[in-house]
Amino acid sequence: MNTTRVLSCCLGMLCTVMVTSSLHAQGPAKRPLSELINLQQPGWELVNQWMREAKNKVQVLPKIPARADSALLAAQVTTRSPMGAVIYETGGILVDDGWLRILGSGSPKMNRSLMSWNQDKPAGMLLVADDVLGGFYAINGGAFGQETLGKIFYFAPDNLRWEATNKTYSEFLVFCFSGDLKGYYRNLRWKGWEQEVSALTGTQGLACYPFLFTKEGKNVGKDKRGTVPIQELWNFEQDMQRKLDGSQ
């Protein structure tokens, strides 16, 4: 890993802790937009490089300037970091025909920003991306322990458990753009999924029945699939996890 990438990873981890803290606690006075936009060392150059080298299909949703300003102010991270750059420079990023959705400042095709999506979500984590089947990616801000602060965890819809990826936000972006998504999702894709998924917006997901976390639902190609709001998938899966754990 080169020096630039190491620095970006460190900045990403620091920004993540700051963002998750600001979501759930009263922090210091907010910095103005002029202090958050870094023109000398923009993180967007690094993100752009990763996208130019991408092995997977990547679509950057155009930003709406006013929304980008508001989203960056809410996040309070600088555009020197990859996270700040994605928030400020994109309305979101779709990978593999929309199978993966990386949150930015929101756009008509993905009408939610990173910070708005995290409102009323559990403390100690920052949701930064999700997949079409209700898999959610969150950066650890303390919810998953202190040893993995700043690392991405994945909530798997086929077992309703948070799984460590051991990736920082920057490393997660590189994985999304150039990683083996076909292998990673080999048990969750079906013949013709591309056409079905590309018809959805970034605020929708696919609910499967039988449920993916049941024995009967493991063959996703034979499951019944219906379009639902991604918020509905989040609520349902979190509720089921609590019930299965006996905490509700």
Side-chain angles (χ1 to χ4, degrees), residues 32-40 69 72 77-79 88:
L33 201 61
S34 60
E35 293 183 14
L36 299 174
I37 298 175
N38 189 308
L39 299 177
Q40 285 71 43
D69 290 350
L72 191 65
V77 295
T78 76
T79 58
Y88 189 65

Side-chain angles (χ1 to χ4, degrees), residues 171-184:
E171 291 165 343
F172 171 68
L173 290 182
V174 173
F175 169 74
C176 290
F177 300 155
S178 294
D180 180 16
L181 295 182
K182 181 178 180 180
Y184 188 75

Side-chain angles (χ1 to χ4, degrees), residues 25-242:
Q26 184 64 41
K30 287 190 174 183
R31 291 176 291 174
L33 201 61
S34 60
E35 293 183 14
L36 299 174
I37 298 175
N38 189 308
L39 299 177
Q40 285 71 43
Q41 294 175 301
W44 185 239
E45 291 184 359
L46 189 59
V47 176
N48 251 326
Q49 177 185 332
W50 296 337
M51 289 192 293
R52 287 194 300 269
E53 298 169 351
K55 298 177 182 178
N56 302 319
K57 186 177 179 180
V58 178
Q59 178 187 1
V60 176
L61 300 177
K63 72 174 185 178
I64 299 171
R67 290 187 67 161
D69 290 350
S70 297
L72 191 65
L73 280 169
Q76 287 291 292
V77 295
T78 76
T79 58
R80 185 183 182 190
S81 70
M83 182 187 293
V86 170
I87 292 172
Y88 189 65
E89 297 292 348
T90 82
I93 301 174
L94 303 180
V95 181
D96 266 8
D97 295 298
W99 181 277
L100 269 173
R101 294 79 69 88
I102 301 167
L103 295 166
S105 58
S107 72
K109 190 169 177 61
M110 188 156 68
N111 193 22
R112 53 191 172 120
S113 70
L114 185 146
M115 296 304 287
S116 68
W117 175 242
N118 276 277
Q119 292 298 320
D120 302 319
K121 297 300 190 295
M125 67 175 70
L126 185 72
L127 294 162
V128 296
D130 42 64
D131 60 50
V132 73
L133 293 181
F136 296 92
Y137 294 90
I139 304 181
N140 180 23
F144 308 114
Q146 297 299 306
E147 293 184 359
T148 54
L149 280 176
K151 296 296 183 67
I152 297 273
F153 280 71
Y154 176 61
F155 187 83
D158 56 346
N159 64 24
L160 302 185
R161 290 290 180 267
W162 287 102
E163 302 173 348
T165 70
N166 298 313
K167 291 179 172 59
T168 64
Y169 181 79
S170 296
E171 291 165 343
F172 171 68
L173 290 182
V174 173
F175 169 74
C176 290
F177 300 155
S178 294
D180 180 16
L181 295 182
K182 181 178 180 180
Y184 188 75
Y185 285 108
R186 62 184 175 275
N187 296 323
L188 292 173
R189 288 182 170 178
W190 60 97
K191 185 177 181 180
W193 65 266
E194 296 93 340
Q195 183 176 0
E196 194 171 339
V197 169
S198 62
L200 305 178
T201 71
T203 56
Q204 296 174 319
L206 291 174
C208 297
Y209 187 82
F211 306 129
L212 294 175
F213 54 86
T214 65
K215 181 180 179 180
E216 296 77 11
K218 295 307 179 186
N219 189 338
V220 67
K222 293 184 178 180
D223 291 349
K224 294 180 180 179
R225 296 181 296 276
T227 302
V228 297
I230 192 67
Q231 180 69 55
E232 187 174 312
L233 276 179
W234 167 265
N235 292 342
F236 172 74
E237 291 173 356
Q238 298 305 302
D239 183 54
M240 288 303 301
Q241 182 196 39
R242 288 189 292 269

